[in-house]
Amino acid sequence: MREAPSALPAGVVCERAGPVRRVVGHFRGFVLAPRDTGLRGAALDRLIAAQRDHFAGRGESVEWKVREHDAPADLTRRLRAAGFVPGETQTVLVGRAAGLASEPVLPDGVKLRRVTEDTDLRAIATMEAEVWGSEPAQLHGFLAGQVAAAPDDVAVLVAEADGEVVSAAWLVLAPGSAFGGLRGGTTLPAWRRRGIYQALVAARARLAVARGVEYLQVDASSDSTPILVRLGFRAATTATSYVWTPPAAR
């Protein structure tokens, strides 16, 4: 969960900053922290402030993801005090890839395919922006960069109906790791509860098994968690993203 991507897009770097690492160059910065940095009190406050101030100097927001079992117990309080705002708490789920891999079952008129072309990635970003009210250019740039940097290790799948993207998800692999990450998984509201999300899980699991991956991991929303648990995933911990945003962007 805490590893930096093995291949980074052009212009993106992962740099050491004491006990943490910073991923710089995406639309948002990311702090990759161990379960316990070993710092307490004022020393931990200084570490948090240093990451915030680094990205403030770039005029960018920054995300610090905290798991339920991270230490110390007052880490989240200190993040809040530094101006980081918590998002939705997600459930970290793990499942055996072989048990999840099956032939995807799709509703009539829906087709599934793997995409790499820029026009497809833009269509995905537009669909996600419609659902979440986000900025499509940010997701497009992020996805395009990931695919360009590791085309064999980032598998982006779309479900389409009459040429329209109705759902999308991607699989992220790390060479040599027993784990693969399920990311995305957004479906247009009108197409939900038809088994498309489950089909995307099955399709990505098949790709993972073909690469020798044993486990799949996902930070799941409250909507996705019941579906994934029914499929065989088990909860390991929780994850909450704490985000600091420059005042001009709030």
Side-chain angles (χ1 to χ4, degrees), residues 138-201:
Q138 292 182 345
L139 178 58
H140 167 255
F142 181 82
L143 267 183
Q146 295 290 95
V147 172
D152 295 330
D153 299 329
V154 179
V156 181
L157 303 180
V158 295
E160 296 173 311
D162 295 325
E164 177 189 18
V165 174
V166 299
S167 185
W170 45 99
L171 168 70
V172 179
L173 303 176
S177 174
F179 285 82
L182 299 187
R183 304 291 181 259
T186 296
T187 304
L188 289 174
W191 288 90
R192 292 174 185 171
R193 297 179 178 84
R194 302 192 193 188
I196 298 175
Y197 180 82
Q198 183 173 334
L200 284 166
V201 172

Side-chain angles (χ1 to χ4, degrees), residues 105-164:
V105 178
L106 292 160
D108 291 341
V110 177
K111 296 181 179 180
L112 199 65
R113 64 187 180 98
R114 182 172 177 175
V115 300
T116 58
E117 295 297 324
D118 191 68
T119 53
D120 292 314
L121 300 181
R122 287 186 185 277
I124 292 170
T126 299
M127 181 274 292
E128 297 243 356
E130 179 181 337
V131 173
W132 303 113
S134 56
E135 172 52 56
Q138 292 182 345
L139 178 58
H140 167 255
F142 181 82
L143 267 183
Q146 295 290 95
V147 172
D152 295 330
D153 299 329
V154 179
V156 181
L157 303 180
V158 295
E160 296 173 311
D162 295 325
E164 177 189 18

Side-chain angles (χ1 to χ4, degrees), residues 33-167:
R35 191 192 71 80
D36 187 347
T37 63
L39 301 179
R40 300 291 185 271
L44 180 55
D45 289 338
R46 288 192 293 271
L47 175 70
I48 293 170
Q51 310 321 307
R52 177 199 63 200
D53 294 347
H54 178 82
F55 288 98
R58 295 174 57 89
E60 297 171 354
S61 60
V62 56
E63 174 182 324
W64 184 313
K65 185 168 285 190
V66 180
R67 278 81 184 189
E68 184 180 28
H69 56 289
D70 285 357
D74 64 353
L75 172 61
T76 57
R77 179 178 66 79
R78 294 181 182 280
L79 284 167
R80 288 174 185 264
F84 286 76
V85 177
E88 177 190 2
T89 295
Q90 298 176 308
T91 303
V92 179
L93 299 169
V94 178
R96 291 187 177 275
L100 297 160
S102 61
E103 184 69 32
V105 178
L106 292 160
D108 291 341
V110 177
K111 296 181 179 180
L112 199 65
R113 64 187 180 98
R114 182 172 177 175
V115 300
T116 58
E117 295 297 324
D118 191 68
T119 53
D120 292 314
L121 300 181
R122 287 186 185 277
I124 292 170
T126 299
M127 181 274 292
E128 297 243 356
E130 179 181 337
V131 173
W132 303 113
S134 56
E135 172 52 56
Q138 292 182 345
L139 178 58
H140 167 255
F142 181 82
L143 267 183
Q146 295 290 95
V147 172
D152 295 330
D153 299 329
V154 179
V156 181
L157 303 180
V158 295
E160 296 173 311
D162 295 325
E164 177 189 18
V165 174
V166 299
S167 185

